[in-house]
């Protein structure tokens, strides 16, 4: 995608391996973020904030995820939980310096 004449202008990575692979591919192609390609990752962690430039990430509520999973497990073991249920927790966009408008577009 980085070698196409009309290459991508942004990449969203859903896990750490995808982000590190994207960073390697950008470096190999002689491109940088956010100047050439905007980068956003999922599951914010401390390492994202110390990158240069720092990476914009989606932070998921890890504590709430664990608490909800435990609650559903206990309800299921007690016979009180429905066979299927959907639970939605809010994520948060942590804006840092890895996103910018595409150049020359």
């Amino acid at each position: 995608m980085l070698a196409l004449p009309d290459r991508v202008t942004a990449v969203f990575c859903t896990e750490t391996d995808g982000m590190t692979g994207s960073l390697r591919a950008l470096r190999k192609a002689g491109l940088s973020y956010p100047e050439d390609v905007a980068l956003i990752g999922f599951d914010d962690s401390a390492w994202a904030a110390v990158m240069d430039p720092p990476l914009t990430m989606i932070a998921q509520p890890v504590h709430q995820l664990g608490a909800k999973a435990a609650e559903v497990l206990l309800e299921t073991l007690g016979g009180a939980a429905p066979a299927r249920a959907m639970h939605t927790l809010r994520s948060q966009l942590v804006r840092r310096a890895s996103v910018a408008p595409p150049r020359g577009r």
Side-chain angles (χ1 to χ4, degrees):
M1 293 187 305
L2 295 176
L4 295 172
D6 189 23
R7 76 169 181 267
V8 299
T9 59
V11 175
F12 175 65
C13 303
T14 58
E15 40 87 34
T16 302
D17 289 342
M19 180 61 83
T20 55
S22 294
L23 290 166
R24 278 191 201 102
L26 285 172
R27 185 176 299 136
K28 184 177 179 181
L31 301 171
S32 60
Y33 70 93
E35 296 82 11
D36 299 309
V37 178
L39 280 178
I40 298 178
F42 190 78
D43 198 15
D44 191 30
S45 58
W47 67 268
V50 298
M51 295 293 294
D52 187 26
L55 296 167
T56 296
M57 302 291 277
I58 304 290
Q60 58 180 333
V62 178
H63 181 77
Q64 285 180 295
L65 282 169
K68 181 54 76 176
E71 177 185 321
V72 170
L73 175 62
L74 292 173
E75 288 174 357
T76 301
L77 292 173
R84 288 184 160 279
M86 181 185 299
H87 302 278
T88 304
L89 301 175
R90 289 193 177 263
S91 298
Q92 179 183 1
L93 177 63
V94 180
R95 295 175 190 267
R96 296 192 184 105
S98 66
V99 177
R103 291 191 306 186
R105 299 252 173 164

